[in-house]
Amino acid sequence: VDDGYQAELSGNVPALDLIRHDAVLDIGELRFGNEMVHDVSFKLSTGGNYLAATEITAGGLYGDLLGSAAVASIDNSWNVALAADLKARKADKGLLSRYITAEWFARQGRIRLKSKGSNWAKLLDELTGELKVTGLHRGAEEIPVQVAAMLDGSPDRFALEQIEFELGASTIKGQLEASTRGDKFINLKARGDVLDIGFLVEQQEDIKAPGIALPTFLTWLPDYHITADLSAEALVIPELRFDAVTATLDRDIDRGKLAFSARGPSSGAMQIDLDYEETQQGGATAQLDITLDRVHLPEVLGLGKGAIDTRTSGTFSLQSRGSSVKEVFSDSRGPARLDIEIRDDGDWSRA
């Protein structure tokens, strides 16, 4: 979040002093990247200290929306209210060509939100209400999706409580807190069962190279203290499965710590600890420690089923420095000790 964005959030909302006016707006199509809605219509009314949009309607491929929104300016603050209902319907085959690039579809749901604040940050923090929307993700196949959450309207932070996110047969439950004022922070806690997110991973050949992605999240939102506590019974992506997954992140303004542990897809266990710290000279240093205990390493790294069946135990202790995340993690150096076991008969059940 840059300084300009912070200034916008802390800026006071304008007092409304509008002429009286009523209009009906019709929009044939609204696009948001690959997503879209069609046949949008609403009545717009203004007058004095209020602005309202009523009888809002919009069409989707699998559901239609009916809603309303209003803003009233009172005592240098805004009172904001939003209500929307989604009603499922059968897909109109005549619309399929217009939604050819879309991936996410809302089918039915209910949203009720309200807030009051003298600036944009307070309006965000004091949001209260509920939302529950069901739909689907369309990729190689159609996957049911459902999201539900409560907003508690705390005066000093934005909070999503009772988050429940369903992806096909997978379920994630948790909570999110954030503050854009004072000591800015983002805290996330989430628990999941067997999380199969393969349908979210793009399948282009140019991103299929084996290995581990750069931890660019270490430099996201540099002004925020970010903590995360995540766990899942299993994490499944194409050709990979990790069991008993836990991950914690503690990222402050100039340093970060990440810990990840899991069991291998067919055997063994692994522990990854990463410490990242920015230096006064403008660069950064990193310490990466990896411990493996009888892991089938080619399987973990996605090198394919044709790799020799082995079990690897050992440690890596790597240090690096550089002027960017890419540079830091492109030249790591340090000792490694690995013991690789091969069994001709493939029987790993015996000691």
Side-chain angles (χ1 to χ4, degrees):
V1 177
D2 59 27
D3 292 338
Y5 181 67
Q6 285 296 140
E8 290 180 9
L9 283 175
S10 61
N12 292 333
V13 297
L16 298 182
D17 186 12
L18 306 172
I19 63 171
R20 182 162 183 79
H21 182 71
D22 295 291
V24 176
L25 281 77
D26 296 304
I27 304 171
E29 185 174 289
L30 277 178
R31 288 192 171 271
F32 314 90
N34 291 332
E35 314 306 323
M36 67 162 282
V37 292
H38 66 272
D39 295 339
V40 179
S41 178
F42 59 93
K43 290 183 178 180
L44 180 65
S45 299
T46 64
N49 68 338
Y50 78 90
L51 168 69
T54 58
E55 298 182 30
I56 302 172
T57 58
L61 188 59
Y62 295 99
D64 294 320
L65 178 144
L66 176 63
S68 63
V71 178
S73 176
I74 303 173
D75 297 331
N76 299 318
S77 294
W78 277 13
N79 287 4
V80 180
L82 171 69
D85 292 290
L86 287 161
K87 184 178 180 181
R89 63 173 172 77
K90 224 175 165 182
D92 184 347
K93 293 183 179 180
L95 295 171
L96 289 174
S97 61
R98 298 171 68 180
Y99 284 85
I100 192 68
T101 63
E103 298 178 350
W104 298 93
F105 300 90
R107 187 187 297 274
Q108 63 184 14
R110 169 186 167 91
I111 301 173
R112 296 290 186 272
L113 300 174
K114 62 180 181 180
S115 185
K116 180 180 179 180
S118 59
N119 60 46
W120 305 110
K122 287 184 178 179
L123 281 174
L124 179 64
D125 290 346
E126 298 192 22
L127 269 173
T128 183
E130 61 177 330
L131 64 91
K132 183 175 183 179
V133 178
T134 61
L136 60 89
H137 176 272
R138 184 177 66 185
E141 57 182 313
E142 293 186 349
I143 305 294
V145 177
Q146 176 174 294
V147 60
M150 301 288 292
L151 293 97
D152 72 356
S154 299
D156 59 348
R157 59 186 172 83
F158 171 79
L160 279 174
E161 305 284 350
Q162 301 177 40
I163 300 172
E164 187 165 337
F165 191 27
E166 297 183 7
L167 304 166
S170 304
T171 300
I172 303 170
K173 296 182 180 181
Q175 61 187 50
L176 172 69
E177 296 181 344
S179 177
T180 60
R181 295 173 286 166
D183 295 328
K184 298 181 284 291
F185 66 84
I186 299 174
N187 297 333
L188 173 65
K189 293 182 179 180
R191 301 287 182 267
D193 47 22
V194 179
L195 304 183
D196 188 344
I197 60 171
F199 72 95
L200 293 176
V201 180
E202 295 179 348
Q203 296 298 314
Q204 288 88 348
E205 291 297 326
D206 60 348
I207 65 169
K208 279 189 172 181
I212 299 173
L214 289 173
T216 54
F217 57 83
L218 289 170
T219 58
W220 292 349
L221 302 173
D223 294 334
Y224 282 70
H225 182 195
I226 301 175
T227 61
D229 183 357
L230 314 173
S231 67
E233 294 177 17
L235 176 64
V236 182
I237 56 179
E239 301 181 4
L240 287 175
R241 178 186 175 103
F242 298 96
D243 293 324
V245 175
T246 64
T248 59
L249 172 67
D250 189 345
R251 209 293 315 277
D252 215 332
I253 293 175
D254 57 359
R255 66 187 64 197
K257 290 187 176 184
L258 171 70
F260 174 88
S261 66
R263 292 202 304 268
S266 59
S267 70
M270 68 189 75
Q271 175 73 38
I272 300 174
D273 294 289
L274 171 63
D275 289 307
Y276 177 89
E277 183 172 358
E278 296 182 6
T279 64
Q280 294 182 350
Q281 293 74 29
T285 62
Q287 172 75 38
L288 177 64
D289 296 303
I290 303 174
T291 302
L292 305 175
D293 181 15
R294 303 196 76 194
V295 175
H296 184 17
L297 200 55
E299 189 176 31
V300 169
L301 297 177
L303 298 179
K305 298 180 180 179
I308 298 174
D309 191 11
T310 61
R311 296 295 181 269
T312 300
S313 300
T315 59
F316 296 83
S317 183
L318 307 177
Q319 301 84 36
S320 57
R321 62 176 59 245
S323 59
S324 66
V325 171
K326 182 176 181 180
E327 186 174 312
V328 167
F329 291 96
S330 296
D331 188 23
S332 297
R333 301 171 183 270
R337 178 175 179 175
L338 296 177
D339 296 319
I340 302 175
E341 186 178 359
I342 301 175
R343 293 187 177 180
D344 295 335
D345 59 4
D347 182 7
W348 297 99
S349 60
R350 69 177 189 271

